[in-house]
Short mmCIF file of all heavy atoms in Angstrom, two decimals:
data_model
loop_
_atom_site.label_atom_id
_atom_site.label_comp_id
_atom_site.label_asym_id
_atom_site.label_seq_id
_atom_site.Cartn_x
_atom_site.Cartn_y
_atom_site.Cartn_z
N GLU C 358 -30.10 -4.58 -15.08
CA GLU C 358 -28.68 -4.23 -14.99
C GLU C 358 -27.95 -5.32 -14.23
O GLU C 358 -28.45 -5.81 -13.21
CB GLU C 358 -28.50 -2.91 -14.25
CG GLU C 358 -29.01 -1.72 -15.00
CD GLU C 358 -28.69 -0.42 -14.27
OE1 GLU C 358 -27.66 -0.37 -13.57
OE2 GLU C 358 -29.47 0.53 -14.41
N PRO C 359 -26.78 -5.66 -14.72
CA PRO C 359 -25.96 -6.59 -13.92
C PRO C 359 -25.43 -5.86 -12.70
O PRO C 359 -25.17 -4.66 -12.75
CB PRO C 359 -24.83 -6.98 -14.88
CG PRO C 359 -24.75 -5.87 -15.86
CD PRO C 359 -26.13 -5.29 -15.96
N THR C 360 -25.29 -6.56 -11.60
CA THR C 360 -24.78 -5.93 -10.39
C THR C 360 -23.97 -6.93 -9.58
O THR C 360 -24.08 -8.15 -9.78
CB THR C 360 -25.92 -5.34 -9.53
OG1 THR C 360 -25.36 -4.53 -8.50
CG2 THR C 360 -26.79 -6.42 -8.93
N SER C 361 -23.18 -6.42 -8.69
CA SER C 361 -22.40 -7.27 -7.79
C SER C 361 -22.37 -6.61 -6.42
O SER C 361 -22.37 -5.39 -6.31
CB SER C 361 -20.99 -7.49 -8.32
OG SER C 361 -20.35 -6.26 -8.55
N ILE C 362 -22.34 -7.44 -5.40
CA ILE C 362 -22.35 -6.96 -4.02
C ILE C 362 -21.28 -7.72 -3.25
O ILE C 362 -21.18 -8.94 -3.33
CB ILE C 362 -23.72 -7.20 -3.35
CG1 ILE C 362 -24.83 -6.49 -4.12
CG2 ILE C 362 -23.69 -6.75 -1.89
CD1 ILE C 362 -26.22 -6.88 -3.68
N SER C 363 -20.45 -6.96 -2.52
CA SER C 363 -19.42 -7.58 -1.69
C SER C 363 -18.88 -6.56 -0.70
O SER C 363 -18.70 -5.39 -1.04
CB SER C 363 -18.26 -8.10 -2.54
OG SER C 363 -17.23 -8.59 -1.71
N SER C 364 -18.61 -7.00 0.52
CA SER C 364 -17.99 -6.12 1.49
C SER C 364 -16.55 -5.82 1.09
O SER C 364 -15.97 -4.82 1.50
CB SER C 364 -18.04 -6.74 2.89
OG SER C 364 -17.31 -7.96 2.90
N SER C 365 -15.97 -6.68 0.27
CA SER C 365 -14.59 -6.47 -0.18
C SER C 365 -14.45 -5.24 -1.08
O SER C 365 -13.38 -4.67 -1.17
CB SER C 365 -14.08 -7.70 -0.93
OG SER C 365 -13.92 -8.78 -0.04
N PHE C 366 -15.53 -4.82 -1.74
CA PHE C 366 -15.45 -3.68 -2.64
C PHE C 366 -15.03 -2.41 -1.89
O PHE C 366 -14.23 -1.63 -2.38
CB PHE C 366 -16.77 -3.45 -3.37
CG PHE C 366 -17.10 -4.51 -4.38
CD1 PHE C 366 -18.41 -4.71 -4.77
CD2 PHE C 366 -16.13 -5.31 -4.94
CE1 PHE C 366 -18.73 -5.68 -5.70
CE2 PHE C 366 -16.44 -6.29 -5.88
CZ PHE C 366 -17.75 -6.47 -6.26
N ALA C 367 -15.60 -2.19 -0.72
CA ALA C 367 -15.26 -1.00 0.06
C ALA C 367 -13.80 -1.05 0.50
O ALA C 367 -13.10 -0.04 0.46
CB ALA C 367 -16.18 -0.88 1.26
N ILE C 368 -13.34 -2.22 0.89
CA ILE C 368 -11.95 -2.37 1.32
C ILE C 368 -11.00 -2.11 0.16
O ILE C 368 -10.02 -1.38 0.28
CB ILE C 368 -11.72 -3.77 1.93
CG1 ILE C 368 -12.50 -3.90 3.24
CG2 ILE C 368 -10.23 -4.04 2.14
CD1 ILE C 368 -12.58 -5.31 3.79
N VAL C 369 -11.31 -2.69 -0.99
CA VAL C 369 -10.45 -2.52 -2.17
C VAL C 369 -10.43 -1.05 -2.60
O VAL C 369 -9.38 -0.51 -2.94
CB VAL C 369 -10.91 -3.45 -3.31
CG1 VAL C 369 -10.27 -3.07 -4.62
CG2 VAL C 369 -10.58 -4.89 -2.95
N LYS C 370 -11.57 -0.39 -2.58
CA LYS C 370 -11.63 1.04 -2.92
C LYS C 370 -10.73 1.84 -1.98
O LYS C 370 -9.98 2.72 -2.41
CB LYS C 370 -13.06 1.54 -2.86
CG LYS C 370 -13.21 2.98 -3.27
CD LYS C 370 -14.67 3.42 -3.25
CE LYS C 370 -14.78 4.82 -3.77
NZ LYS C 370 -15.09 5.80 -2.79
N HIS C 371 -10.79 1.53 -0.72
CA HIS C 371 -9.97 2.20 0.28
C HIS C 371 -8.48 1.95 0.00
O HIS C 371 -7.66 2.87 0.06
CB HIS C 371 -10.35 1.67 1.67
CG HIS C 371 -9.82 2.49 2.79
ND1 HIS C 371 -10.61 2.91 3.82
CD2 HIS C 371 -8.59 2.96 3.06
CE1 HIS C 371 -9.89 3.60 4.67
NE2 HIS C 371 -8.65 3.64 4.23
N LEU C 372 -8.12 0.71 -0.32
CA LEU C 372 -6.72 0.38 -0.60
C LEU C 372 -6.21 1.08 -1.85
O LEU C 372 -5.04 1.50 -1.89
CB LEU C 372 -6.53 -1.14 -0.73
CG LEU C 372 -6.72 -1.96 0.55
CD1 LEU C 372 -6.49 -3.44 0.26
CD2 LEU C 372 -5.81 -1.49 1.66
N VAL C 373 -7.05 1.23 -2.87
CA VAL C 373 -6.64 1.95 -4.07
C VAL C 373 -6.30 3.39 -3.73
O VAL C 373 -5.30 3.94 -4.20
CB VAL C 373 -7.72 1.87 -5.17
CG1 VAL C 373 -7.44 2.87 -6.29
CG2 VAL C 373 -7.81 0.48 -5.74
N GLU C 374 -7.11 4.01 -2.88
CA GLU C 374 -6.83 5.37 -2.44
C GLU C 374 -5.50 5.43 -1.68
O GLU C 374 -4.72 6.36 -1.85
CB GLU C 374 -7.96 5.90 -1.57
CG GLU C 374 -9.25 6.11 -2.34
CD GLU C 374 -10.46 6.36 -1.43
OE1 GLU C 374 -10.30 6.42 -0.19
OE2 GLU C 374 -11.56 6.50 -1.98
N LEU C 375 -5.24 4.42 -0.85
CA LEU C 375 -3.99 4.37 -0.10
C LEU C 375 -2.78 4.16 -1.01
O LEU C 375 -1.68 4.61 -0.69
CB LEU C 375 -4.04 3.27 0.96
CG LEU C 375 -4.87 3.56 2.20
CD1 LEU C 375 -4.91 2.32 3.10
CD2 LEU C 375 -4.32 4.74 2.96
N CYS C 376 -2.97 3.46 -2.12
CA CYS C 376 -1.86 3.24 -3.07
C CYS C 376 -1.20 4.56 -3.45
O CYS C 376 0.02 4.68 -3.44
CB CYS C 376 -2.34 2.54 -4.34
SG CYS C 376 -2.56 0.77 -4.21
N GLY C 377 -2.02 5.54 -3.79
CA GLY C 377 -1.48 6.85 -4.17
C GLY C 377 -0.75 7.52 -3.03
O GLY C 377 0.34 8.06 -3.22
N ARG C 378 -1.33 7.49 -1.85
CA ARG C 378 -0.73 8.13 -0.67
C ARG C 378 0.60 7.48 -0.30
O ARG C 378 1.53 8.16 0.10
CB ARG C 378 -1.71 8.04 0.49
CG ARG C 378 -1.28 8.82 1.70
CD ARG C 378 -2.31 8.76 2.80
NE ARG C 378 -3.63 9.12 2.31
CZ ARG C 378 -4.76 8.65 2.81
NH1 ARG C 378 -4.74 7.81 3.80
NH2 ARG C 378 -5.93 9.02 2.31
N LEU C 379 0.67 6.16 -0.45
CA LEU C 379 1.87 5.42 -0.05
C LEU C 379 2.86 5.21 -1.19
O LEU C 379 3.92 4.63 -0.99
CB LEU C 379 1.47 4.06 0.53
CG LEU C 379 0.62 4.10 1.78
CD1 LEU C 379 0.11 2.70 2.13
CD2 LEU C 379 1.38 4.70 2.94
N GLY C 380 2.50 5.63 -2.39
CA GLY C 380 3.36 5.41 -3.54
C GLY C 380 3.53 3.94 -3.85
O GLY C 380 4.57 3.50 -4.33
N ALA C 381 2.50 3.16 -3.57
CA ALA C 381 2.55 1.71 -3.77
C ALA C 381 1.80 1.33 -5.04
O ALA C 381 0.77 1.93 -5.36
CB ALA C 381 1.93 0.99 -2.58
N ASN C 382 2.30 0.35 -5.75
CA ASN C 382 1.62 -0.12 -6.95
C ASN C 382 0.62 -1.23 -6.65
O ASN C 382 -0.41 -1.33 -7.31
CB ASN C 382 2.63 -0.61 -7.99
CG ASN C 382 3.43 0.53 -8.56
OD1 ASN C 382 2.89 1.58 -8.85
ND2 ASN C 382 4.72 0.34 -8.69
N ILE C 383 0.92 -2.07 -5.64
CA ILE C 383 0.02 -3.16 -5.27
C ILE C 383 -0.13 -3.18 -3.75
O ILE C 383 0.86 -3.34 -3.03
CB ILE C 383 0.53 -4.54 -5.73
CG1 ILE C 383 0.79 -4.56 -7.24
CG2 ILE C 383 -0.45 -5.63 -5.34
CD1 ILE C 383 1.48 -5.83 -7.72
N LEU C 384 -1.35 -3.02 -3.28
CA LEU C 384 -1.65 -3.18 -1.85
C LEU C 384 -2.66 -4.31 -1.72
O LEU C 384 -3.52 -4.50 -2.59
CB LEU C 384 -2.25 -1.91 -1.25
CG LEU C 384 -1.30 -0.74 -1.02
CD1 LEU C 384 -2.07 0.44 -0.41
CD2 LEU C 384 -0.14 -1.12 -0.12
N CYS C 385 -2.56 -5.04 -0.62
CA CYS C 385 -3.51 -6.14 -0.40
C CYS C 385 -3.76 -6.31 1.09
O CYS C 385 -3.04 -5.77 1.93
CB CYS C 385 -2.99 -7.43 -1.02
SG CYS C 385 -1.53 -8.11 -0.24
N THR C 386 -4.78 -7.10 1.39
CA THR C 386 -5.11 -7.42 2.77
C THR C 386 -4.35 -8.67 3.21
O THR C 386 -3.73 -9.36 2.40
CB THR C 386 -6.62 -7.68 2.90
OG1 THR C 386 -6.96 -8.79 2.08
CG2 THR C 386 -7.44 -6.45 2.51
N GLU C 387 -4.44 -8.96 4.48
CA GLU C 387 -3.77 -10.12 5.04
C GLU C 387 -4.28 -11.42 4.41
O GLU C 387 -3.50 -12.35 4.18
CB GLU C 387 -3.98 -10.15 6.56
CG GLU C 387 -3.16 -11.17 7.28
CD GLU C 387 -3.22 -10.97 8.78
OE1 GLU C 387 -4.25 -10.51 9.30
OE2 GLU C 387 -2.20 -11.28 9.43
N ALA C 388 -5.57 -11.47 4.10
CA ALA C 388 -6.14 -12.69 3.49
C ALA C 388 -5.47 -13.00 2.16
O ALA C 388 -5.19 -14.16 1.85
CB ALA C 388 -7.64 -12.52 3.30
N VAL C 389 -5.18 -11.98 1.37
CA VAL C 389 -4.50 -12.18 0.08
C VAL C 389 -3.04 -12.53 0.30
O VAL C 389 -2.49 -13.39 -0.38
CB VAL C 389 -4.64 -10.92 -0.80
CG1 VAL C 389 -3.77 -11.03 -2.05
CG2 VAL C 389 -6.09 -10.68 -1.17
N MET C 390 -2.44 -11.89 1.28
CA MET C 390 -1.01 -12.10 1.54
C MET C 390 -0.72 -13.56 1.88
O MET C 390 0.33 -14.08 1.52
CB MET C 390 -0.57 -11.19 2.68
CG MET C 390 0.85 -10.72 2.66
SD MET C 390 1.34 -10.05 1.08
CE MET C 390 2.55 -11.25 0.65
N GLU C 391 -1.65 -14.22 2.55
CA GLU C 391 -1.46 -15.62 2.91
C GLU C 391 -1.30 -16.49 1.68
O GLU C 391 -0.58 -17.48 1.70
CB GLU C 391 -2.63 -16.11 3.77
CG GLU C 391 -2.63 -15.49 5.16
CD GLU C 391 -3.86 -15.86 5.98
OE1 GLU C 391 -4.65 -16.72 5.54
OE2 GLU C 391 -4.02 -15.27 7.05
#
Side-chain angles (χ1 to χ4, degrees):
E358 291 185 30
T360 191
S361 56
I362 301 169
S363 175
S364 61
S365 291
F366 291 157
I368 293 169
V369 167
K370 183 177 185 252
H371 194 130
L372 292 180
V373 167
E374 292 168 2
L375 285 175
C376 280
R378 188 177 308 150
L379 298 171
N382 291 318
I383 305 172
L384 287 180
C385 67
T386 61
E387 189 169 32
V389 172
M390 210 50 245
E391 290 174 8

